[in-house]
Amino acid sequence: MNLTDAERSGKLVLEAKGIGCTFDGLKLIDNFSTVIMRGDRIGIIGPNGSGKTTLINILLGTMVEHEGSVRRGTKLEVAYFDQHRAQLNDEKSVVENVADGEHVTVNGIKRHVIGYLEDFLFPPDRARMPVKVLSGGERNRLLLAKLFTLPSNVIVMDEPTNDLDIDTLELLEEMLMEYKGTVLLVSHDREFLNNIVTSTIVCEGGGRIGEYVGGYDDWLRQRVPDAVNRKVKITGRKKPRQKKEGPRKLTFKENREIEALPAMIESVEAEHAGLYKKLSDPEFYKGDGSRVAEAKSKIEKLEKDIADAYERWALLDRISKESA
Ligand SMILES: Nc1ncnc2c1ncn2[C@@H]1O[C@H](COP(=O)(O)OP(=O)(O)OP(=O)(O)O)[C@@H](O)[C@H]1O
Ligand SMILES: [Mg+2]
């Protein structure tokens, strides 16, 4: 092993080679390879049921049956905030759930547990209460507080933003920004991802998994082929994050819509890919010039449709998760 190899392996968090996974005859992950290095902050996005949690389980080694191989770095300490949040002891107090004694160590700094819990909006009297009296929102906050006290060099969060109030969301953002280790983050929150991650893994459906540099917005930009995209500017309707009203359920119509969106996106993407292929063929430019202009404007429209559909899907998905 030469020096670069040694250096590399010290920085390696994990390397996946040709991983794959099939459930009930459906290919969920097809031949995906990636390398994750120390300090990477990776977002994982994709529609419901597209395999995000499964991918995490394979990467972390909690799912044994899969194709391909995953090599993990030495001395990995993973803190996992799972989607089902079953990690609190209901009978113990808030304080006892995060600390053994009076102090906690967060990001290498020792702090008094009461002060630390105040950061997470638990006043001292609330911090002495048993966990069983907490509301759903408080439980989420407590789990986050607990997560950052665990010794770790990798934090994995599966949809941590669901049911978080705005203050906690901002606090979580700050904690993740200060965190020195590697971050793997499944989320549908576009702004949250944009603020935190440096690259994005997208479960695109049908086993396809893509990797993009940057956050959610960067992904939207990059997924559109560059050559035809110079003129098109995909501007997400970026609204400042607002204080949420109470969670609401999807309407019947919205439910139908969200169910239909993945297939719709897939078909528009297929049309886009076909057209793009045509435009990449030099022969196509030999004929009628108006045909080329027409194809280009069509491709622009498709790109806008795709971006809008993803945006719509993310919004509906979030509403549905918040009310779940
Ligand atoms: N152990 C299993 N056996 C059979 N099917 C499974 C298993 N685990 C997951 N699946 C199926 O694989 C699909 C993907 O599941 P997964 O939980 O990875 O998706 P996800 O992207 O995390 O979804 P969500 O956004 O709802 O969390 C789902 O259809 C699920 O029912
Ligand atoms: Mg999941």
Side-chain angles (χ1 to χ4, degrees):
M1 195 196 262
N2 61 34
L3 189 67
T4 14
D5 282 343
E7 220 174 62
R8 209 176 112 80
S9 75
K11 288 188 177 157
L12 181 83
V13 173
L14 56 87
E15 178 173 23
K17 278 194 185 154
I19 58 173
C21 169
T22 305
F23 287 130
D24 305 326
L26 277 179
K27 198 106 206 165
L28 203 56
I29 297 171
D30 189 9
N31 193 19
F32 175 62
S33 301
T34 191
V35 175
I36 297 177
M37 306 297 280
R38 221 159 59 193
D40 286 352
R41 300 159 173 279
I42 300 170
I44 301 178
I45 61 179
N48 290 122
S50 60
K52 303 178 295 295
T53 301
T54 305
L55 177 64
I56 282 187
N57 288 337
I58 294 176
L59 295 178
L60 295 184
T62 48
M63 208 180 97
V64 226
E65 280 204 25
H66 61 84
E67 293 158 23
S69 63
V70 183
R71 184 162 71 98
R72 293 178 196 85
T74 48
K75 302 198 188 93
L76 290 188
E77 280 192 281
V78 179
Y80 186 19
F81 185 86
D82 79 80
Q83 204 172 359
H84 304 293
R85 328 246 158 113
Q87 301 151 320
L88 294 174
N89 185 332
D90 272 356
E91 300 305 321
K92 289 190 170 177
S93 72
V94 173
V95 167
E96 286 163 346
N97 264 276
V98 295
D100 262 341
E102 292 285 292
H103 294 92
V104 288
T105 304
V106 180
N107 251 331
I109 297 164
K110 193 173 165 188
R111 300 193 47 189
H112 197 276
V113 61
I114 292 291
Y116 176 63
L117 283 169
E118 275 180 323
D119 286 359
F120 284 84
L121 312 173
F122 288 100
D125 52 343
R126 196 79 184 149
R128 306 278 179 209
M129 300 263 183
V131 162
K132 62 183 170 206
V133 307
L134 299 186
S135 69
E138 286 175 313
R139 292 178 76 91
N140 282 336
R141 270 194 267 132
L142 179 57
L143 269 175
L144 292 176
K146 180 172 169 163
L147 189 83
F148 286 97
T149 64
L150 302 175
S152 75
N153 47 28
V154 181
I155 277 189
V156 180
M157 307 190 107
D158 199 342
E159 311 208 9
T161 63
N162 299 342
D163 330 309
L164 289 189
D165 56 81
I166 187 86
D167 293 327
T168 316
L169 198 58
E170 274 161 15
L171 177 66
L172 172 59
E173 246 173 52
E174 270 172 45
M175 303 283 299
L176 284 173
M177 296 303 288
E178 280 167 23
Y179 183 67
K180 302 204 172 54
T182 303
V183 178
L184 274 174
L185 193 58
V186 178
S187 178
H188 296 296
D189 187 321
R190 177 173 180 171
E191 189 180 341
F192 185 70
L193 285 168
N194 283 340
N195 289 345
I196 291 164
V197 307
T198 50
S199 69
T200 304
I201 291 177
V202 187
C203 297
E204 294 172 345
R208 273 170 297 137
I209 303 199
E211 265 194 297
Y212 301 83
V213 175
Y216 203 117
D217 285 353
D218 299 297
W219 162 65
L220 276 182
R221 268 193 296 277
Q222 289 170 70
R223 59 198 303 284
V224 175
D226 237 19
V228 287
N229 185 38
R230 299 244 156 75
K231 283 186 294 178
V232 195
K233 199 167 161 231
I234 294 178
T235 44
R237 277 152 286 162
K238 199 166 180 187
K239 292 192 201 109
R241 199 182 270 150
Q242 288 165 354
K243 297 254 177 201
K244 283 184 217 137
E245 300 157 30
R248 70 171 180 91
K249 284 196 179 337
L250 289 181
T251 63
F252 178 72
K253 229 176 118 192
E254 286 170 335
N255 260 318
R256 297 278 295 273
E257 194 186 348
I258 197 172
E259 270 166 28
L261 271 169
M264 190 276 245
I265 291 172
E266 208 167 300
S267 83
V268 182
E269 281 182 332
E271 190 180 353
H272 178 272
L275 208 51
Y276 183 58
K277 200 166 158 222
K278 258 194 199 165
L279 274 174
S280 321
D281 179 1
E283 284 301 314
F284 187 69
Y285 295 83
K286 286 189 180 153
D288 181 3
S290 68
R291 203 170 54 143
V292 175
E294 214 172 90
K296 281 189 175 163
S297 89
K298 174 80 179 164
I299 228 167
E300 284 179 13
K301 180 177 177 308
L302 292 175
E303 280 159 6
K304 187 170 178 311
D305 289 348
I306 293 169
D308 286 348
Y310 269 97
E311 180 124 9
R312 179 74 184 150
W313 168 77
L315 174 74
L316 292 178
D317 188 60
R318 187 167 165 178
I319 294 171
S320 115
K321 291 251 157 87
E322 278 166 351
S323 65

